[in-house]
Amino acid sequence: MSEGQQRRQQRGPQSGGRSGGRDTGGRARQSQGGPRGPVRTVQPARRVAFDVLRAVSEVDAYANLALPGAIAEAGLTPQDAALATELTYGTLRRRGTYDAIIAAAAERDVDSIDPVVLDALRLAVHQLLATRVASHAAVNESVNLVATAVGRGASSFANAVLRRISRDTPEQWEERIEQDARSDDERLALRTAHPVWVIRALRRALASEGRADELEDLLDADNASPEVTLVALPGLAEPGEPRRPFAETAFASPGGDPHTIVAASGGRVRVQDEGSQLVALALAAAAPVRAGERWMDLCAGPGGKTALLAAIARPQDVDIEANEVVAARAGLVRNALRAVPGEVVVHQGDGRDLGTTRPAAFDRILVDAPCTGLGALRRRPEARWRKTAADVAELVPLQVELLNSALDALAPGGIVAYVTCSPHLAETTGVVQDVLRGRSDITELDARAVVSGLSMSPIDLADDGRTTTGSVQLWPHRHGTDAMFLALLQRAPKES
């Protein structure tokens, strides 16, 4: 995320969000817009959801960052906050499907519809086809949103489109939009609201484990609301109930606003996916910890894994440092570490320089590399529409450079955990194999054995065909976690 994006998201979504560029048919309109008439009332939860959708569309905001602030600013009740969350995330997850329905009902491409109107239509279609919200409420309030933000002419268009959509069932609309699909993958993309390129990448990743038949289960899991998981920093807090099955530090939120629990704990308990906990725990468990070790979290923002590693390191006489290239995210790391006693130096710099500036300096390094984020589509639903296959080609060289830099910064016998929140083969095993081909000083450890050994209960980790070494790929549909990838790489020890 760029610094500009960070600043925009810290400001939060702007209410209304006029586009100032098109009328409902896509023609240029004057900046003053059409006559608006009296301000119409809109239920607060819908208003918040709409404002966040506009922020996602207009300034590339991340819903998981923008929504909590918008809910707090609006002073929503717990019930309204839950509704705003469902409306926001549900609309974002199924945007591709809803756009196809809107295009069919409007008899025009969605690119020709004013962006403000389009977001209001998406929000309404989600309510009409995927929730128990009354049809008249979904239509009327979305029309009011359009009337307030754009004008009466646009609201008449929105009203006509939504009433057309409300006349048919979700199944009828699904059948209608799939009729024009040019392939089975396009048909699956429309039904499951995933871009075709993502479907194909996920299928290849599952097929590499011999489990291509699990694709639709994975796509369904991406579209389900994830359970909120908390981490209890070891030595500083005790996990609550119910416990999660794998990480000893993980437990499920008992309900309500989890941030209340976080605040009450002083940050010693925080929200963190169990998969993220497992990969950090695996780095610490990959070999016995010796007093005096030096650890580094190389791509640390926003700091959740850093805090977990710091809590593990604290009683073991281990020095830990962190690095983050973006200033705002480096600040988030420092904030995440406040709950952990002791000093953790947080550097701001390019992780690709570490191997040159600090050669052979660290015993364990976590490289949670920038990636497409395809493993967290449950939590960051806008990523599926924001990323493209071209992003993979741009990210892989960066991932290779970061991993090589970390390996150069390893002391003899040291271990790197290479982690991505993506199952895309180019970002995972592809990067690892590319790096290993160019180095004779690095051995891959059996990450499957490490994770199985630390797991609280049996964990189903697929064999990728190698017998003595192997990476770990977690899955939402199989493990209930984000699709985290982990490889453990060890630098050769000094010759005696």
PDB file of all heavy atoms in Angstrom, residues 379-414:
ATOM      1  N   ARG A 379     -11.472 -11.775   3.755  1.00  0.00           N
ATOM      2  CA  ARG A 379     -11.333 -10.589   4.609  1.00  0.00           C
ATOM      3  C   ARG A 379     -11.117  -9.310   3.803  1.00  0.00           C
ATOM      4  O   ARG A 379     -11.435  -8.221   4.279  1.00  0.00           O
ATOM      5  CB  ARG A 379     -10.154 -10.773   5.565  1.00  0.00           C
ATOM      6  CG  ARG A 379     -10.280 -12.003   6.436  1.00  0.00           C
ATOM      7  CD  ARG A 379      -9.083 -12.161   7.363  1.00  0.00           C
ATOM      8  NE  ARG A 379      -9.064 -13.484   7.950  1.00  0.00           N
ATOM      9  CZ  ARG A 379      -9.837 -13.866   8.967  1.00  0.00           C
ATOM     10  NH1 ARG A 379     -10.670 -13.012   9.509  1.00  0.00           N
ATOM     11  NH2 ARG A 379      -9.762 -15.089   9.432  1.00  0.00           N
ATOM     12  N   ARG A 380     -10.544  -9.445   2.614  1.00  0.00           N
ATOM     13  CA  ARG A 380     -10.299  -8.276   1.759  1.00  0.00           C
ATOM     14  C   ARG A 380     -10.945  -8.527   0.406  1.00  0.00           C
ATOM     15  O   ARG A 380     -10.268  -8.758  -0.600  1.00  0.00           O
ATOM     16  CB  ARG A 380      -8.797  -8.037   1.608  1.00  0.00           C
ATOM     17  CG  ARG A 380      -8.091  -7.823   2.945  1.00  0.00           C
ATOM     18  CD  ARG A 380      -6.633  -7.452   2.745  1.00  0.00           C
ATOM     19  NE  ARG A 380      -5.941  -7.392   4.019  1.00  0.00           N
ATOM     20  CZ  ARG A 380      -5.183  -8.367   4.514  1.00  0.00           C
ATOM     21  NH1 ARG A 380      -5.016  -9.491   3.821  1.00  0.00           N
ATOM     22  NH2 ARG A 380      -4.584  -8.252   5.673  1.00  0.00           N
ATOM     23  N   PRO A 381     -12.270  -8.487   0.370  1.00  0.00           N
ATOM     24  CA  PRO A 381     -12.976  -8.921  -0.838  1.00  0.00           C
ATOM     25  C   PRO A 381     -12.701  -8.054  -2.054  1.00  0.00           C
ATOM     26  O   PRO A 381     -12.810  -8.527  -3.184  1.00  0.00           O
ATOM     27  CB  PRO A 381     -14.451  -8.852  -0.432  1.00  0.00           C
ATOM     28  CG  PRO A 381     -14.488  -7.895   0.720  1.00  0.00           C
ATOM     29  CD  PRO A 381     -13.197  -8.087   1.448  1.00  0.00           C
ATOM     30  N   GLU A 382     -12.346  -6.782  -1.831  1.00  0.00           N
ATOM     31  CA  GLU A 382     -12.082  -5.918  -2.990  1.00  0.00           C
ATOM     32  C   GLU A 382     -10.830  -6.328  -3.740  1.00  0.00           C
ATOM     33  O   GLU A 382     -10.644  -5.970  -4.911  1.00  0.00           O
ATOM     34  CB  GLU A 382     -11.970  -4.452  -2.560  1.00  0.00           C
ATOM     35  CG  GLU A 382     -10.768  -4.112  -1.705  1.00  0.00           C
ATOM     36  CD  GLU A 382     -10.967  -4.417  -0.229  1.00  0.00           C
ATOM     37  OE1 GLU A 382     -12.070  -4.844   0.156  1.00  0.00           O
ATOM     38  OE2 GLU A 382     -10.018  -4.217   0.543  1.00  0.00           O
ATOM     39  N   ALA A 383      -9.938  -7.119  -3.099  1.00  0.00           N
ATOM     40  CA  ALA A 383      -8.675  -7.494  -3.749  1.00  0.00           C
ATOM     41  C   ALA A 383      -8.905  -8.293  -5.015  1.00  0.00           C
ATOM     42  O   ALA A 383      -8.135  -8.196  -5.967  1.00  0.00           O
ATOM     43  CB  ALA A 383      -7.802  -8.290  -2.773  1.00  0.00           C
ATOM     44  N   ARG A 384      -9.967  -9.095  -5.051  1.00  0.00           N
ATOM     45  CA  ARG A 384     -10.194  -9.934  -6.236  1.00  0.00           C
ATOM     46  C   ARG A 384     -10.502  -9.094  -7.473  1.00  0.00           C
ATOM     47  O   ARG A 384     -10.252  -9.519  -8.594  1.00  0.00           O
ATOM     48  CB  ARG A 384     -11.294 -10.955  -5.971  1.00  0.00           C
ATOM     49  CG  ARG A 384     -12.685 -10.389  -5.896  1.00  0.00           C
ATOM     50  CD  ARG A 384     -13.716 -11.451  -5.514  1.00  0.00           C
ATOM     51  NE  ARG A 384     -13.663 -11.768  -4.092  1.00  0.00           N
ATOM     52  CZ  ARG A 384     -14.400 -12.696  -3.524  1.00  0.00           C
ATOM     53  NH1 ARG A 384     -15.222 -13.425  -4.246  1.00  0.00           N
ATOM     54  NH2 ARG A 384     -14.315 -12.924  -2.219  1.00  0.00           N
ATOM     55  N   TRP A 385     -11.076  -7.896  -7.260  1.00  0.00           N
ATOM     56  CA  TRP A 385     -11.402  -7.018  -8.390  1.00  0.00           C
ATOM     57  C   TRP A 385     -10.294  -6.008  -8.646  1.00  0.00           C
ATOM     58  O   TRP A 385     -10.222  -5.430  -9.730  1.00  0.00           O
ATOM     59  CB  TRP A 385     -12.716  -6.288  -8.109  1.00  0.00           C
ATOM     60  CG  TRP A 385     -13.776  -7.190  -7.607  1.00  0.00           C
ATOM     61  CD1 TRP A 385     -14.390  -7.154  -6.388  1.00  0.00           C
ATOM     62  CD2 TRP A 385     -14.360  -8.312  -8.298  1.00  0.00           C
ATOM     63  NE1 TRP A 385     -15.307  -8.165  -6.265  1.00  0.00           N
ATOM     64  CE2 TRP A 385     -15.314  -8.895  -7.427  1.00  0.00           C
ATOM     65  CE3 TRP A 385     -14.170  -8.874  -9.566  1.00  0.00           C
ATOM     66  CZ2 TRP A 385     -16.068 -10.001  -7.785  1.00  0.00           C
ATOM     67  CZ3 TRP A 385     -14.922  -9.990  -9.912  1.00  0.00           C
ATOM     68  CH2 TRP A 385     -15.843 -10.534  -9.045  1.00  0.00           C
ATOM     69  N   ARG A 386      -9.451  -5.802  -7.661  1.00  0.00           N
ATOM     70  CA  ARG A 386      -8.402  -4.784  -7.777  1.00  0.00           C
ATOM     71  C   ARG A 386      -7.135  -5.352  -8.406  1.00  0.00           C
ATOM     72  O   ARG A 386      -6.394  -4.642  -9.095  1.00  0.00           O
ATOM     73  CB  ARG A 386      -8.115  -4.231  -6.379  1.00  0.00           C
ATOM     74  CG  ARG A 386      -7.189  -3.050  -6.334  1.00  0.00           C
ATOM     75  CD  ARG A 386      -7.136  -2.481  -4.919  1.00  0.00           C
ATOM     76  NE  ARG A 386      -8.357  -1.751  -4.608  1.00  0.00           N
ATOM     77  CZ  ARG A 386      -8.678  -1.319  -3.392  1.00  0.00           C
ATOM     78  NH1 ARG A 386      -7.888  -1.585  -2.368  1.00  0.00           N
ATOM     79  NH2 ARG A 386      -9.782  -0.646  -3.186  1.00  0.00           N
ATOM     80  N   LYS A 387      -6.853  -6.620  -8.156  1.00  0.00           N
ATOM     81  CA  LYS A 387      -5.636  -7.244  -8.668  1.00  0.00           C
ATOM     82  C   LYS A 387      -5.877  -7.840 -10.048  1.00  0.00           C
ATOM     83  O   LYS A 387      -7.001  -8.210 -10.404  1.00  0.00           O
ATOM     84  CB  LYS A 387      -5.153  -8.346  -7.718  1.00  0.00           C
ATOM     85  CG  LYS A 387      -4.818  -7.876  -6.313  1.00  0.00           C
ATOM     86  CD  LYS A 387      -3.609  -6.964  -6.301  1.00  0.00           C
ATOM     87  CE  LYS A 387      -3.214  -6.600  -4.875  1.00  0.00           C
ATOM     88  NZ  LYS A 387      -2.036  -5.706  -4.831  1.00  0.00           N
ATOM     89  N   THR A 388      -4.799  -7.963 -10.830  1.00  0.00           N
ATOM     90  CA  THR A 388      -4.852  -8.608 -12.130  1.00  0.00           C
ATOM     91  C   THR A 388      -3.685  -9.577 -12.247  1.00  0.00           C
ATOM     92  O   THR A 388      -2.757  -9.558 -11.434  1.00  0.00           O
ATOM     93  CB  THR A 388      -4.763  -7.580 -13.272  1.00  0.00           C
ATOM     94  OG1 THR A 388      -3.438  -7.016 -13.293  1.00  0.00           O
ATOM     95  CG2 THR A 388      -5.787  -6.458 -13.106  1.00  0.00           C
ATOM     96  N   ALA A 389      -3.731 -10.400 -13.287  1.00  0.00           N
ATOM     97  CA  ALA A 389      -2.630 -11.333 -13.510  1.00  0.00           C
ATOM     98  C   ALA A 389      -1.317 -10.588 -13.713  1.00  0.00           C
ATOM     99  O   ALA A 389      -0.240 -11.103 -13.369  1.00  0.00           O
ATOM    100  CB  ALA A 389      -2.944 -12.215 -14.707  1.00  0.00           C
ATOM    101  N   ALA A 390      -1.385  -9.376 -14.252  1.00  0.00           N
ATOM    102  CA  ALA A 390      -0.158  -8.587 -14.465  1.00  0.00           C
ATOM    103  C   ALA A 390       0.517  -8.245 -13.144  1.00  0.00           C
ATOM    104  O   ALA A 390       1.745  -8.079 -13.090  1.00  0.00           O
ATOM    105  CB  ALA A 390      -0.479  -7.315 -15.240  1.00  0.00           C
ATOM    106  N   ASP A 391      -0.259  -8.139 -12.055  1.00  0.00           N
ATOM    107  CA  ASP A 391       0.336  -7.830 -10.752  1.00  0.00           C
ATOM    108  C   ASP A 391       1.264  -8.946 -10.290  1.00  0.00           C
ATOM    109  O   ASP A 391       2.261  -8.694  -9.617  1.00  0.00           O
ATOM    110  CB  ASP A 391      -0.763  -7.610  -9.702  1.00  0.00           C
ATOM    111  CG  ASP A 391      -1.549  -6.349  -9.955  1.00  0.00           C
ATOM    112  OD1 ASP A 391      -0.929  -5.309 -10.222  1.00  0.00           O
ATOM    113  OD2 ASP A 391      -2.791  -6.404  -9.898  1.00  0.00           O
ATOM    114  N   VAL A 392       0.938 -10.185 -10.639  1.00  0.00           N
ATOM    115  CA  VAL A 392       1.792 -11.307 -10.244  1.00  0.00           C
ATOM    116  C   VAL A 392       3.166 -11.155 -10.885  1.00  0.00           C
ATOM    117  O   VAL A 392       4.204 -11.316 -10.230  1.00  0.00           O
ATOM    118  CB  VAL A 392       1.150 -12.643 -10.648  1.00  0.00           C
ATOM    119  CG1 VAL A 392       2.065 -13.805 -10.271  1.00  0.00           C
ATOM    120  CG2 VAL A 392      -0.219 -12.805  -9.984  1.00  0.00           C
ATOM    121  N   ALA A 393       3.168 -10.827 -12.177  1.00  0.00           N
ATOM    122  CA  ALA A 393       4.438 -10.670 -12.893  1.00  0.00           C
ATOM    123  C   ALA A 393       5.284  -9.553 -12.293  1.00  0.00           C
ATOM    124  O   ALA A 393       6.520  -9.621 -12.308  1.00  0.00           O
ATOM    125  CB  ALA A 393       4.168 -10.399 -14.369  1.00  0.00           C
ATOM    126  N   GLU A 394       4.642  -8.523 -11.743  1.00  0.00           N
ATOM    127  CA  GLU A 394       5.384  -7.424 -11.122  1.00  0.00           C
ATOM    128  C   GLU A 394       5.870  -7.785  -9.729  1.00  0.00           C
ATOM    129  O   GLU A 394       6.943  -7.353  -9.305  1.00  0.00           O
ATOM    130  CB  GLU A 394       4.497  -6.176 -11.055  1.00  0.00           C
ATOM    131  CG  GLU A 394       4.169  -5.572 -12.414  1.00  0.00           C
ATOM    132  CD  GLU A 394       3.296  -4.340 -12.292  1.00  0.00           C
ATOM    133  OE1 GLU A 394       3.029  -3.912 -11.141  1.00  0.00           O
ATOM    134  OE2 GLU A 394       2.873  -3.812 -13.328  1.00  0.00           O
ATOM    135  N   LEU A 395       5.095  -8.577  -9.003  1.00  0.00           N
ATOM    136  CA  LEU A 395       5.428  -8.895  -7.618  1.00  0.00           C
ATOM    137  C   LEU A 395       6.515  -9.957  -7.495  1.00  0.00           C
ATOM    138  O   LEU A 395       7.340  -9.905  -6.575  1.00  0.00           O
ATOM    139  CB  LEU A 395       4.176  -9.363  -6.873  1.00  0.00           C
ATOM    140  CG  LEU A 395       3.188  -8.260  -6.467  1.00  0.00           C
ATOM    141  CD1 LEU A 395       1.843  -8.851  -6.106  1.00  0.00           C
ATOM    142  CD2 LEU A 395       3.748  -7.449  -5.305  1.00  0.00           C
ATOM    143  N   VAL A 396       6.532 -10.943  -8.396  1.00  0.00           N
ATOM    144  CA  VAL A 396       7.460 -12.063  -8.239  1.00  0.00           C
ATOM    145  C   VAL A 396       8.923 -11.616  -8.185  1.00  0.00           C
ATOM    146  O   VAL A 396       9.668 -12.068  -7.305  1.00  0.00           O
ATOM    147  CB  VAL A 396       7.227 -13.115  -9.345  1.00  0.00           C
ATOM    148  CG1 VAL A 396       8.385 -14.094  -9.426  1.00  0.00           C
ATOM    149  CG2 VAL A 396       5.924 -13.867  -9.077  1.00  0.00           C
ATOM    150  N   PRO A 397       9.393 -10.730  -9.074  1.00  0.00           N
ATOM    151  CA  PRO A 397      10.788 -10.290  -8.940  1.00  0.00           C
ATOM    152  C   PRO A 397      11.086  -9.636  -7.594  1.00  0.00           C
ATOM    153  O   PRO A 397      12.169  -9.831  -7.030  1.00  0.00           O
ATOM    154  CB  PRO A 397      10.953  -9.292 -10.100  1.00  0.00           C
ATOM    155  CG  PRO A 397       9.918  -9.691 -11.090  1.00  0.00           C
ATOM    156  CD  PRO A 397       8.757 -10.163 -10.281  1.00  0.00           C
ATOM    157  N   LEU A 398      10.140  -8.866  -7.069  1.00  0.00           N
ATOM    158  CA  LEU A 398      10.313  -8.258  -5.748  1.00  0.00           C
ATOM    159  C   LEU A 398      10.408  -9.339  -4.680  1.00  0.00           C
ATOM    160  O   LEU A 398      11.260  -9.270  -3.778  1.00  0.00           O
ATOM    161  CB  LEU A 398       9.142  -7.319  -5.455  1.00  0.00           C
ATOM    162  CG  LEU A 398       9.048  -6.748  -4.035  1.00  0.00           C
ATOM    163  CD1 LEU A 398      10.275  -5.895  -3.711  1.00  0.00           C
ATOM    164  CD2 LEU A 398       7.759  -5.931  -3.868  1.00  0.00           C
ATOM    165  N   GLN A 399       9.547 -10.343  -4.754  1.00  0.00           N
ATOM    166  CA  GLN A 399       9.574 -11.423  -3.775  1.00  0.00           C
ATOM    167  C   GLN A 399      10.906 -12.178  -3.820  1.00  0.00           C
ATOM    168  O   GLN A 399      11.480 -12.511  -2.772  1.00  0.00           O
ATOM    169  CB  GLN A 399       8.401 -12.373  -4.052  1.00  0.00           C
ATOM    170  CG  GLN A 399       7.045 -11.738  -3.780  1.00  0.00           C
ATOM    171  CD  GLN A 399       5.891 -12.428  -4.490  1.00  0.00           C
ATOM    172  OE1 GLN A 399       6.109 -13.315  -5.327  1.00  0.00           O
ATOM    173  NE2 GLN A 399       4.665 -12.037  -4.176  1.00  0.00           N
ATOM    174  N   VAL A 400      11.416 -12.421  -5.025  1.00  0.00           N
ATOM    175  CA  VAL A 400      12.706 -13.101  -5.176  1.00  0.00           C
ATOM    176  C   VAL A 400      13.824 -12.263  -4.564  1.00  0.00           C
ATOM    177  O   VAL A 400      14.691 -12.778  -3.837  1.00  0.00           O
ATOM    178  CB  VAL A 400      12.987 -13.396  -6.661  1.00  0.00           C
ATOM    179  CG1 VAL A 400      14.438 -13.845  -6.866  1.00  0.00           C
ATOM    180  CG2 VAL A 400      12.030 -14.466  -7.180  1.00  0.00           C
ATOM    181  N   GLU A 401      13.810 -10.959  -4.830  1.00  0.00           N
ATOM    182  CA  GLU A 401      14.854 -10.085  -4.287  1.00  0.00           C
ATOM    183  C   GLU A 401      14.799 -10.026  -2.769  1.00  0.00           C
ATOM    184  O   GLU A 401      15.836 -10.044  -2.096  1.00  0.00           O
ATOM    185  CB  GLU A 401      14.721  -8.683  -4.878  1.00  0.00           C
ATOM    186  CG  GLU A 401      15.076  -8.572  -6.348  1.00  0.00           C
ATOM    187  CD  GLU A 401      14.935  -7.145  -6.849  1.00  0.00           C
ATOM    188  OE1 GLU A 401      15.791  -6.306  -6.499  1.00  0.00           O
ATOM    189  OE2 GLU A 401      13.966  -6.868  -7.579  1.00  0.00           O
ATOM    190  N   LEU A 402      13.604  -9.925  -2.210  1.00  0.00           N
ATOM    191  CA  LEU A 402      13.467  -9.879  -0.749  1.00  0.00           C
ATOM    192  C   LEU A 402      13.959 -11.168  -0.115  1.00  0.00           C
ATOM    193  O   LEU A 402      14.663 -11.150   0.905  1.00  0.00           O
ATOM    194  CB  LEU A 402      12.010  -9.622  -0.372  1.00  0.00           C
ATOM    195  CG  LEU A 402      11.485  -8.201  -0.569  1.00  0.00           C
ATOM    196  CD1 LEU A 402       9.967  -8.162  -0.459  1.00  0.00           C
ATOM    197  CD2 LEU A 402      12.121  -7.244   0.436  1.00  0.00           C
ATOM    198  N   LEU A 403      13.611 -12.298  -0.707  1.00  0.00           N
ATOM    199  CA  LEU A 403      14.027 -13.578  -0.143  1.00  0.00           C
ATOM    200  C   LEU A 403      15.542 -13.742  -0.237  1.00  0.00           C
ATOM    201  O   LEU A 403      16.194 -14.162   0.734  1.00  0.00           O
ATOM    202  CB  LEU A 403      13.318 -14.726  -0.853  1.00  0.00           C
ATOM    203  CG  LEU A 403      13.634 -16.141  -0.354  1.00  0.00           C
ATOM    204  CD1 LEU A 403      13.470 -16.260   1.159  1.00  0.00           C
ATOM    205  CD2 LEU A 403      12.758 -17.162  -1.066  1.00  0.00           C
ATOM    206  N   ASN A 404      16.131 -13.387  -1.362  1.00  0.00           N
ATOM    207  CA  ASN A 404      17.589 -13.474  -1.484  1.00  0.00           C
ATOM    208  C   ASN A 404      18.281 -12.546  -0.492  1.00  0.00           C
ATOM    209  O   ASN A 404      19.308 -12.900   0.110  1.00  0.00           O
ATOM    210  CB  ASN A 404      18.021 -13.133  -2.911  1.00  0.00           C
ATOM    211  CG  ASN A 404      18.101 -14.362  -3.802  1.00  0.00           C
ATOM    212  OD1 ASN A 404      18.626 -15.401  -3.403  1.00  0.00           O
ATOM    213  ND2 ASN A 404      17.571 -14.246  -5.011  1.00  0.00           N
ATOM    214  N   SER A 405      17.729 -11.351  -0.303  1.00  0.00           N
ATOM    215  CA  SER A 405      18.307 -10.413   0.651  1.00  0.00           C
ATOM    216  C   SER A 405      18.277 -10.989   2.063  1.00  0.00           C
ATOM    217  O   SER A 405      19.258 -10.904   2.810  1.00  0.00           O
ATOM    218  CB  SER A 405      17.542  -9.085   0.614  1.00  0.00           C
ATOM    219  OG  SER A 405      18.001  -8.187   1.594  1.00  0.00           O
ATOM    220  N   ALA A 406      17.148 -11.597   2.425  1.00  0.00           N
ATOM    221  CA  ALA A 406      17.035 -12.192   3.753  1.00  0.00           C
ATOM    222  C   ALA A 406      18.024 -13.339   3.929  1.00  0.00           C
ATOM    223  O   ALA A 406      18.657 -13.472   4.989  1.00  0.00           O
ATOM    224  CB  ALA A 406      15.611 -12.684   3.978  1.00  0.00           C
ATOM    225  N   LEU A 407      18.183 -14.159   2.914  1.00  0.00           N
ATOM    226  CA  LEU A 407      19.122 -15.276   3.009  1.00  0.00           C
ATOM    227  C   LEU A 407      20.557 -14.781   3.162  1.00  0.00           C
ATOM    228  O   LEU A 407      21.354 -15.370   3.897  1.00  0.00           O
ATOM    229  CB  LEU A 407      18.989 -16.176   1.778  1.00  0.00           C
ATOM    230  CG  LEU A 407      17.644 -16.919   1.663  1.00  0.00           C
ATOM    231  CD1 LEU A 407      17.533 -17.609   0.306  1.00  0.00           C
ATOM    232  CD2 LEU A 407      17.471 -17.920   2.792  1.00  0.00           C
ATOM    233  N   ASP A 408      20.895 -13.675   2.479  1.00  0.00           N
ATOM    234  CA  ASP A 408      22.230 -13.090   2.638  1.00  0.00           C
ATOM    235  C   ASP A 408      22.432 -12.528   4.040  1.00  0.00           C
ATOM    236  O   ASP A 408      23.567 -12.459   4.537  1.00  0.00           O
ATOM    237  CB  ASP A 408      22.452 -11.975   1.612  1.00  0.00           C
ATOM    238  CG  ASP A 408      22.611 -12.508   0.192  1.00  0.00           C
ATOM    239  OD1 ASP A 408      22.947 -13.702   0.042  1.00  0.00           O
ATOM    240  OD2 ASP A 408      22.379 -11.734  -0.762  1.00  0.00           O
ATOM    241  N   ALA A 409      21.336 -12.121   4.682  1.00  0.00           N
ATOM    242  CA  ALA A 409      21.426 -11.566   6.038  1.00  0.00           C
ATOM    243  C   ALA A 409      21.410 -12.636   7.114  1.00  0.00           C
ATOM    244  O   ALA A 409      21.506 -12.307   8.307  1.00  0.00           O
ATOM    245  CB  ALA A 409      20.274 -10.585   6.264  1.00  0.00           C
ATOM    246  N   LEU A 410      21.305 -13.902   6.730  1.00  0.00           N
ATOM    247  CA  LEU A 410      21.304 -14.990   7.704  1.00  0.00           C
ATOM    248  C   LEU A 410      22.709 -15.328   8.169  1.00  0.00           C
ATOM    249  O   LEU A 410      23.638 -15.443   7.356  1.00  0.00           O
ATOM    250  CB  LEU A 410      20.708 -16.259   7.083  1.00  0.00           C
ATOM    251  CG  LEU A 410      19.197 -16.475   7.116  1.00  0.00           C
ATOM    252  CD1 LEU A 410      18.885 -17.848   6.529  1.00  0.00           C
ATOM    253  CD2 LEU A 410      18.629 -16.346   8.522  1.00  0.00           C
ATOM    254  N   ALA A 411      22.840 -15.545   9.457  1.00  0.00           N
ATOM    255  CA  ALA A 411      24.069 -16.119   9.984  1.00  0.00           C
ATOM    256  C   ALA A 411      24.121 -17.597   9.591  1.00  0.00           C
ATOM    257  O   ALA A 411      23.096 -18.207   9.284  1.00  0.00           O
ATOM    258  CB  ALA A 411      24.099 -15.974  11.505  1.00  0.00           C
ATOM    259  N   PRO A 412      25.302 -18.205   9.571  1.00  0.00           N
ATOM    260  CA  PRO A 412      25.381 -19.640   9.276  1.00  0.00           C
ATOM    261  C   PRO A 412      24.452 -20.443  10.190  1.00  0.00           C
ATOM    262  O   PRO A 412      24.413 -20.220  11.404  1.00  0.00           O
ATOM    263  CB  PRO A 412      26.847 -19.965   9.538  1.00  0.00           C
ATOM    264  CG  PRO A 412      27.566 -18.679   9.268  1.00  0.00           C
ATOM    265  CD  PRO A 412      26.636 -17.611   9.763  1.00  0.00           C
ATOM    266  N   GLY A 413      23.689 -21.336   9.591  1.00  0.00           N
ATOM    267  CA  GLY A 413      22.731 -22.130  10.345  1.00  0.00           C
ATOM    268  C   GLY A 413      21.405 -21.436  10.587  1.00  0.00           C
ATOM    269  O   GLY A 413      20.483 -22.037  11.133  1.00  0.00           O
ATOM    270  N   GLY A 414      21.303 -20.168  10.181  1.00  0.00           N
ATOM    271  CA  GLY A 414      20.075 -19.410  10.399  1.00  0.00           C
ATOM    272  C   GLY A 414      18.947 -19.852   9.484  1.00  0.00           C
ATOM    273  O   GLY A 414      19.152 -20.541   8.473  1.00  0.00           O
TER     274      GLY A 414
END
